[in-house]
């Protein structure tokens, strides 16, 4: 090493020291106080706080609606008061019309979305478990899920006629690809260590699939069903707007023609109640099946 090189090497620490000396001093901070449970990240809420927040989420919009209806801040033709909506719903229920339309809509969802789950769940498990199945199905499903299902309505009417089949097919097309990809993502989250241990203990491929992968993925698969069930409700209303004699979507269209906003709000309340009730049942099933989650 030459004298110039050695001098350069010795000079580097002094340059670094001078740079560090020019840095401003770090600010002094007071010790952070632990946040309250309501504001803490990923901390379970106390039961009382959770009950209060759940009640507020329901009561606050209802109170705002009551105030707007009582003060006539919004024209009742556009936002009818809750008591008028209640009377409209009671009248439809007393005539039997509401029950007939609700069952027609629910039946279409059970057929269309039920068929989508029966098809998408096995395909999603295959995609998440086998690389060959993922390479075969993921590009096509990833492409088709970006096509709006409502755009297929004219084709479905041409292919399947004007009965119940195009409505069921529309719900199927609008949910099957999303549920399949979400199921595949859940299956991929199964820890590889579980699979390796199963093979080490002598399990065969089928046993690993049905005793390790499927049970571990089932709670997440139910969550995927919960999410896509809401999409099925959106699609059935669209399907019933086209050449339908019964259904909540058809009833909304008829009420819109005569500016019967109270009936529209009553039907929306029914859809919300049925949807929330189904979501709660699926959540309870998920919690019971996947207690280890």
């Amino acid at each position: 090493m030459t004298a110039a090189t050695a001098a350069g090497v010795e000079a580097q620490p002094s340059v670094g020291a001078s740079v560090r000396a020019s840095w401003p001093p770090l600010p002094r901070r007071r010790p952070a106080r632990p946040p309250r449970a309501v504001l803490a990240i990923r901390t379970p809420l106390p039961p009382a706080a959770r009950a209060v927040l759940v009640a507020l989420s329901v009561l606050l919009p209802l109170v705002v609606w009551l105030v707007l209806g009582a003060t006539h801040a919004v024209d009742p033709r556009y936002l009818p008061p809750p008591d008028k909506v209640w009377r409209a719903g009671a009248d439809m229920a007393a005539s039997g019309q509401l029950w007939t339309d609700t069952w027609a809509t629910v039946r279409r969802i059970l057929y269309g979305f039920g068929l989508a789950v029966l098809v998408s769940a096995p395909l999603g498990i295959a995609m998440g478990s086998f690389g060959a199945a993922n390479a075969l199905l993921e590009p096509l499903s990833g492409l088709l899920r970006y096509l709006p299902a409502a755009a297929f309505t004219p084709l479905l009417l041409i292919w399947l006629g004007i009965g119940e089949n195009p409505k069921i097919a529309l719900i199927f097309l609008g949910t099957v690809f999303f549920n399949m990809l979400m199921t595949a993502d859940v299956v991929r989250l199964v820890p590889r260590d579980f699979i390796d241990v199963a093979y080490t203990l002598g399990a065969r491929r089928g046993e690993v699939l049905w005793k390790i992968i499927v049970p571990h993925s089932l709670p997440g698969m139910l969550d995927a069903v919960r999410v896509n069930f809401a999409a099925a409700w959106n699609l059935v209303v669209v399907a019933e707007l086209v050449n339908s004699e019964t259904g909540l979507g058809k009833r909304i269209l008829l009420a819109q023609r005569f500016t019967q906003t109270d009936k529209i709000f009553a039907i929306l309340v029914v859809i919300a109640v049925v949807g929330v009730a189904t979501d709660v049942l699926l959540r309870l099933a998920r919690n019971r099946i996947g207690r280890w989650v």
Side-chain angles (χ1 to χ4, degrees):
M1 180 181 296
T2 62
T5 304
V9 172
E10 295 176 356
Q12 288 180 357
S14 61
V15 173
S18 62
V19 171
R20 287 193 297 271
S22 63
W23 291 350
L26 294 176
R28 293 185 177 182
R29 297 180 178 178
R30 292 181 299 176
R33 293 181 297 177
R36 297 181 179 181
V38 177
L39 302 177
I41 297 176
R42 301 190 69 175
T43 301
L45 288 175
R50 180 176 179 81
V52 170
L53 292 175
V54 170
L56 285 177
S57 69
V58 177
L59 295 178
L60 187 59
L62 182 59
V63 169
V64 173
W65 187 13
L66 287 169
V67 171
L68 292 176
T71 59
H72 297 285
V74 180
D75 192 332
R77 291 180 301 173
Y78 306 122
L79 183 65
D83 58 334
K84 189 176 180 181
V85 172
W86 175 265
R87 288 195 299 269
D91 292 340
M92 288 189 293
S95 66
Q97 181 186 85
L98 185 61
W99 309 114
T100 302
D101 290 332
T102 301
W103 172 240
T105 298
V106 170
R107 185 178 66 248
R108 289 164 184 148
I109 291 178
L110 291 177
Y111 289 156
F113 187 59
L115 182 61
V117 172
L118 289 177
V119 172
S120 62
L123 293 179
I125 293 172
M127 289 174 60
S129 303
F130 303 102
N134 185 70
L136 179 64
L137 298 174
E138 199 277 335
L140 179 62
S141 60
L143 173 67
L144 293 178
R145 70 189 177 100
Y146 284 103
L147 299 179
F152 285 92
T153 302
L155 290 175
L156 293 175
L157 292 174
I158 295 172
W159 294 340
L160 303 176
I162 57 176
E164 291 293 306
N165 291 336
K167 302 176 181 61
I168 295 172
L170 181 64
I171 299 171
F172 174 83
L173 289 175
T175 55
V176 64
F177 300 110
F178 287 96
N179 202 69
M180 181 169 61
L181 292 173
M182 293 176 69
T183 301
D185 289 339
V186 169
V187 172
R188 293 189 188 102
L189 295 178
V190 177
R192 181 68 193 184
D193 293 342
F194 290 2
I195 300 175
D196 293 338
V197 169
Y199 278 129
T200 302
L201 295 176
R204 299 183 181 275
R205 182 178 56 189
E207 293 174 326
V208 171
L209 186 65
W210 295 112
K211 296 184 178 181
I212 302 296
I213 293 178
V214 172
H216 190 283
S217 305
L218 194 54
M221 292 166 60
L222 288 175
D223 280 334
V225 170
R226 286 176 52 217
V227 172
N228 291 303
F229 186 77
W233 270 101
N234 294 330
L235 290 167
V236 74
V237 172
V238 174
E240 291 174 346
L241 294 178
V242 180
N243 195 23
S244 180
E245 297 297 329
T246 58
L248 297 176
K250 179 64 174 182
R251 201 58 53 192
I252 289 176
L253 180 62
L254 293 177
Q256 179 265 334
R257 291 177 180 175
F258 300 99
T259 322
Q260 296 173 328
T261 52
D262 52 348
K263 288 187 177 182
I264 295 176
F265 272 83
I267 295 170
L268 293 177
V269 170
V270 171
I271 293 175
V273 170
V274 175
V276 169
T278 307
D279 186 83
V280 170
L281 291 176
L282 290 173
R283 188 177 300 179
L284 291 175
R286 188 274 313 271
N287 293 340
R288 185 173 181 83
I289 292 172
R291 295 177 180 178
W292 48 268
V293 177

